[in-house]
Amino acid sequence: MADCVIVDGLVKRYGWRVAVRGVSFAIGEGEVVGLLGPNGSGKTTILRVLGGYLPATTGTVQIAGIDVAADSLAARSRIGYVAEDAPLYDGMRVGEFLHFMAAIKGVPGYKAHNAVAMAAKQVDLSAVLALPIGRLSRGYRQRVAIAQALLGDPPLLMLDEPTNALDAYQVIAVRKLIRSLAGQRTVLVASHVLGEIERIASRVMILLDGCLLTTDAMREAGHARQLRLRIAGPASEVLRALRQIPSVVAAASEPGEIGDGYLVELAPTQPVSELARALIGQGFALSELTDVKRDLEGVFLNLTRRAGIVEAEAP
């Protein structure tokens, strides 16, 4: 599978502030990939650099084999972009607006009617083409924004917070629509809503403070082994002992627990018995040792916690 998007060492600065810090990733053709991170983590900045709306400070971005910095217009023609709160013309009818956007995107006049009809059908807008955009619900407005992004048949579709402020029924409809695009085109969805990304994407990247913590959180959720331990003793001494055990990849106090609760990530193929034996051998009283089923939420919390520890310990 060829890569539709290649980002290498992307850095974006706004004066003294670094919004994106050396981000690198690739997205294959036909993938639906989620970019998950809290508000202010740099998701929108990355989308705007990919779309050619902002220049990168350093690093390179390629869309369908085209360098965005070297040929921005050609790269943009390969992208359908839906910004958060995408601007729409309330006084225009839906069909009129889509024909207008088709013209802006360079769709030839003789092809525009079929292109608009196809996009409207794909997002279930055919029944409202004659209505003014200002009379549409929030959910239908979002469909209009997605429909204009599909015009010109771009290989890459980028959606920034596509379910933001929608009601439950509208969220389900937009989620179903995005999933239906899998395989037809590459889709990059940026959101701070973990549950939505988990339901939409086949692969999830996690961004925090402009740093990419993982390019495949779901793989980590499915294969990483995490244990919950209860160990009597001072927390600082317990954590020091855990981190000195060769089979332990990471150890931290369990969030919300007071005293003896710990989460430990164990290296693959390492037997749990060795961990227990090492703790008991050092004189610690081990009262619980259980497997934790890893999910996307657990991976997100674990990665962000570890990133916070690294930042706190940095000189």
Side-chain angles (χ1 to χ4, degrees), residues 92-117:
M92 297 181 76
R93 300 182 186 276
V94 174
E96 181 185 7
F97 172 75
L98 293 178
H99 276 89
F100 172 67
M101 293 303 298
I104 288 178
K105 293 188 176 193
V107 178
Y110 68 95
K111 291 184 177 180
H113 180 78
N114 286 339
V116 168

Side-chain angles (χ1 to χ4, degrees), residues 55-125:
T57 303
T58 59
T60 61
V61 176
Q62 291 185 28
I63 306 295
I66 300 171
D67 187 291
V68 172
D71 197 346
S72 177
L73 287 178
R76 287 189 217 181
S77 71
R78 270 73 172 177
I79 298 171
Y81 180 41
V82 180
E84 184 179 6
D85 296 321
L88 301 171
Y89 296 105
D90 287 352
M92 297 181 76
R93 300 182 186 276
V94 174
E96 181 185 7
F97 172 75
L98 293 178
H99 276 89
F100 172 67
M101 293 303 298
I104 288 178
K105 293 188 176 193
V107 178
Y110 68 95
K111 291 184 177 180
H113 180 78
N114 286 339
V116 168
M118 186 177 299
K121 181 179 180 181
Q122 201 165 5
V123 300
D124 198 18
L125 279 176

